[in-house]
Structure formats: structure tokens, C-alpha cells
Amino acid sequence: MNMGRAFRRYTRNRFLEGLCIFTTRVFALFLRHEKFLTALSLRPWFALGTETAVSTSILFTKRDFVYVARNNEYRCPAGERAIHRFTTVEHDMSLRVYWPSACPRCHLKERCSSSDYRRIRRWEHEHILEAMQRRLDRKPDAMTIRRSTVEHVFGTLKQWMGATHFLTRTLGRVSTEISLQVLAYNLKRVINILGVARTIKAMRMAQT
């Protein structure tokens, strides 16, 4: 019996509804289970690799540009329209590129870009990141909750694995080793919560 698959099928239907997931890598999970749960990425813009959490520069960041979905364009800090120019693919992501025509004569150019035009790139699924950012803005204590719920898990796994941590070498073998450790932790956690009888029942139901 594939225990991992059985648990995924069971939890997808039984436990996900109303659940809030705290994560930094959430795209696939969010797209697949959006109707069951609320996904909250604690660093949504880090995942794209295009923004920093706190700007240390006097230049405008991407978050200073407001996306107008109705017209598929951005409104820049100077109030100008940055229209869609072309679409490109970078790092296997489809990106739409925008810039305003007024950049060369803009009175805010020194705070925006040293190039002739300020270009804004938008990922085809960026509305997901924007939705997560709105959730995060409504829940400023999310990082505190994440630390209090997940850090003890890492501590437990490190204690189980001992001072040497991994007994294998190479990425593939280490990945398998940590996957087995995580599976064991999750199984033990489920048994502690549901009890042995209910856990076995859930696994049998997932097979049907």
C-alpha cells in the first residue's frame, strides 16, 4: 500500500477544508487545493526572486506600481500608465513586460530608474502572490505563529537524527533519508492525534 498517496487522498477530502497553510513555497499547493484551504506565503515576493522584503534603496520598488487588471496595465508613482509591451519567458516563467512612455521626461525619474524606461515584469500567475500579500497584510502575526508551530518539528527531527544528522551522501540519497524521517514524524503525529484505530480506519477509507 502506498501510505503517502493514501494519506494525501484522505486529507485532501477530510482535513483541508478551512485549513490555513503557512509556507514560503506555496504555488503548486495553492493552485491545486485553493477550494479546500487558505494558503499564506510568508514571503510571497521572495519566491519570484524579484523583490526584497524591505527596501533599503530610495528607488521605487515594484510594490509602488499599482496593477489595473481591467486594462492590463500598471499605474506608476507619477500617475502615468505603464502599458503591456511584450511577453517573454525567463526561468521557465511566462512574464509580461510593461513600461510607461513618459519615463524620459518624468519628474520622479531619479527615484525610479537609471535606464531610459522603468520596466515592470509581471508573472502570469502573479495574482496569486497579490492575494497572498493581502492575506498577510491582514495577519501581521503570521510569522510568529509559523515559528511557534514549526520550529519544534525541526528540533525533534534533529534530535532523532543525532549529531551526525544524515547517514547518507549525495543529494538523491539525502533527500530520501529526510523524506523517511518526515514521513515517520507525520505518522507518529497523526497516531497521537487520532489514535491507532482511527488512523487505520482513515487509511482504509482512503484506499476505497
Side-chain angles (χ1 to χ4, degrees):
M1 177 180 64
N2 188 322
M3 297 177 66
R5 183 182 303 170
F7 268 107
R8 283 196 298 272
R9 289 177 56 190
Y10 183 80
T11 55
R12 183 165 65 242
N13 297 324
R14 302 281 175 166
F15 295 137
L16 289 182
E17 188 171 357
L19 196 63
C20 182
I21 300 296
F22 294 87
T23 182
T24 53
R25 293 283 184 176
V26 76
F27 301 139
L29 180 67
F30 181 80
L31 289 169
R32 183 176 179 183
H33 298 310
E34 182 178 3
K35 66 180 180 179
F36 292 107
L37 54 81
T38 299
L40 183 61
S41 176
L42 301 180
R43 297 161 58 189
W45 304 103
F46 270 45
L48 260 188
T50 58
E51 293 293 329
T52 56
V54 178
S55 175
T56 58
S57 170
I58 63 172
L59 297 179
F60 294 122
T61 67
K62 185 177 178 180
R63 295 191 64 184
D64 294 314
F65 292 76
V66 179
Y67 181 65
V68 183
R70 180 181 57 187
N71 301 325
N72 186 28
E73 64 184 26
Y74 278 89
R75 186 74 62 186
C76 81
E80 299 291 342
R81 297 170 56 228
I83 64 174
H84 177 231
R85 305 289 181 168
F86 64 89
T87 301
T88 186
V89 176
E90 297 179 8
H91 306 294
D92 296 324
M93 295 188 298
S94 179
L95 303 174
R96 296 194 292 268
V97 183
Y98 307 75
W99 69 79
S101 299
C103 282
R105 60 180 184 275
C106 180
H107 66 286
L108 296 177
K109 183 169 174 51
E110 290 185 357
R111 293 189 57 196
C112 194
S113 175
S114 59
S115 302
D116 292 337
Y117 295 91
R118 173 62 185 266
R119 299 191 177 195
I120 305 104
R121 287 172 167 78
R122 182 177 179 83
W123 183 41
E124 61 179 332
H125 300 302
E126 196 153 324
H127 61 281
I128 297 172
L129 302 184
E130 293 168 343
M132 290 182 185
Q133 185 62 56
R134 289 192 293 270
R135 294 190 188 109
L136 188 58
D137 292 340
R138 294 194 297 266
K139 198 172 185 63
D141 60 340
M143 184 61 78
T144 301
I145 296 174
R146 170 108 185 275
R147 282 197 297 264
S148 65
T149 55
V150 77
E151 291 301 330
H152 74 278
V153 176
F154 296 141
T156 300
L157 290 174
K158 289 175 68 175
Q159 184 182 31
W160 285 1
M161 298 174 75
T164 57
H165 298 315
F166 293 101
L167 302 177
T168 57
R169 296 293 182 269
T170 75
L171 182 60
R173 294 188 180 99
V174 168
S175 178
T176 301
E177 185 177 351
I178 191 62
S179 295
L180 290 172
Q181 292 280 359
V182 172
L183 177 61
Y185 179 91
N186 288 336
L187 281 173
K188 189 172 182 179
R189 181 70 174 156
V190 169
I191 292 172
N192 287 337
I193 294 173
L194 298 181
V196 175
R198 290 182 63 192
T199 300
I200 294 175
K201 181 180 179 181
M203 293 169 62
R204 289 173 176 168
M205 290 178 62
Q207 287 186 298
T208 58

